[in-house]
Amino acid sequence: MFLKLLLIFACIFAQIGSNSDREEHLSNIRQLTFGGENAEAYFSEDGTELIFQSTRDGYPCDQIFRMNSDGSDVRKITNGKGRTTCAYFYPDKKRILYSSTHQESPSCPAAPDRSRGYVWGLYPYDIYTADRDGTNVQVLSASPGYDAEATISPDGKQIVFTSDRDGDLELYAMDSNGKNVRRLTHSPGYDGGAFFSADSKKIVWRARHLSDQQEQKDYKDLL
């Protein structure tokens, strides 16, 4: 699972190794996208396709695209409304998972205030599933605020995601049909970016748990 998973900034694909005077840790680097803003790319289970978000082709904010793993046959698979993020293939590749704000508004949500530095916009995302061509869209998780960063277990039975539905950015899990939602983390601070282990029994995620009162205040003010 993890060897087949690739999170790409600007969609750069590489193999581990070294054969470059400028790059000590990567070799066989190939650029897959040219133009636009491209990110959050993930392989299908069989490694033949990538799904990613991109701002391109006149769309004012991110939409979800699929392409072959060599960068060919790029096609948009979301409806062009709202902002989308965090797309993922189901293990059988028959359906996809992603988050979108289109239920809130067909327009792009306003960009966050970055006067205090870089911040990640907690847009009013809900989590959706659709057929691999983007049709037959169904909502899986809808709540006021942010529901995103969703991934699927290798056995296809569980989804883990990040939400601020209880006032903090915490991890939640649900069945693959959107039922049986339960909260997994309870510490003040960010919990997100979770992935399942290959046997679907464990998760790994990133977190910034805050114990200092001033840090907690700054964090809550940003939320």
Side-chain angles (χ1 to χ4, degrees), residues 100-210:
S100 175
T101 66
H102 73 262
Q103 186 88 3
E104 180 84 6
S105 171
S107 302
C108 296
D113 178 12
R114 292 196 168 96
S115 61
R116 297 174 60 183
Y118 176 79
V119 292
W120 175 259
L122 297 180
Y123 299 117
Y125 289 117
D126 289 323
I127 299 174
Y128 296 85
T129 181
D131 290 345
R132 58 181 281 108
D133 62 358
T135 60
N136 190 21
V137 178
Q138 301 172 17
V139 64
L140 284 185
S141 178
S143 68
Y146 182 84
D147 289 335
E149 304 176 41
T151 56
I152 307 166
S153 60
D155 62 12
K157 296 180 180 180
Q158 299 291 311
I159 293 171
V160 64
F161 65 100
T162 296
S163 177
D164 64 353
R165 63 185 60 198
D166 293 324
D168 193 12
L169 289 168
E170 303 286 359
L171 290 184
Y172 294 77
M174 61 183 173
D175 297 342
S176 59
N177 59 6
K179 297 181 179 180
N180 192 26
V181 178
R182 59 266 188 208
R183 183 171 168 177
L184 303 181
T185 57
H186 297 81
S187 298
Y190 170 74
D191 291 276
F195 291 96
F196 286 91
S197 60
D199 61 5
S200 302
K201 294 181 179 179
K202 295 183 178 181
I203 58 171
V204 61
W205 76 98
R206 57 181 179 255
R208 178 75 166 92
H209 295 157
L210 306 173

Side-chain angles (χ1 to χ4, degrees), residues 7-25:
L7 173 60
I8 307 174
F9 179 74
C11 284
I12 299 296
F13 176 50
Q15 292 181 351
I16 295 175
S18 178
N19 65 357
S20 170
D21 293 336
R22 295 191 304 167
E23 175 54 65
E24 296 181 357
H25 304 290

Side-chain angles (χ1 to χ4, degrees), residues 3-98:
L3 293 180
K4 292 182 178 179
L5 182 152
L6 183 61
L7 173 60
I8 307 174
F9 179 74
C11 284
I12 299 296
F13 176 50
Q15 292 181 351
I16 295 175
S18 178
N19 65 357
S20 170
D21 293 336
R22 295 191 304 167
E23 175 54 65
E24 296 181 357
H25 304 290
L26 303 174
S27 67
N28 194 26
I29 297 173
R30 290 176 286 156
Q31 185 171 346
L32 297 184
T33 60
F34 300 84
E37 297 178 5
N38 309 278
E40 297 280 353
Y42 298 95
F43 277 117
S44 60
E45 184 69 17
D46 63 7
T48 62
E49 290 186 278
L50 287 162
I51 192 166
F52 65 104
Q53 66 192 50
S54 180
T55 299
R56 60 167 68 197
D57 300 339
Y59 291 98
C61 55
D62 285 333
Q63 296 296 311
I64 301 303
F65 292 77
R66 279 176 33 224
M67 65 181 173
N68 295 332
S69 57
D70 62 2
S72 64
D73 194 20
V74 178
R75 58 268 194 210
K76 182 177 69 68
I77 54 177
T78 44
N79 60 18
K81 299 177 181 179
R83 180 183 290 272
T84 64
T85 191
C86 303
Y88 210 74
F89 286 106
Y90 278 71
D92 61 8
K93 286 179 53 177
K94 293 181 179 179
R95 292 187 66 78
I96 60 168
L97 184 74
Y98 65 94

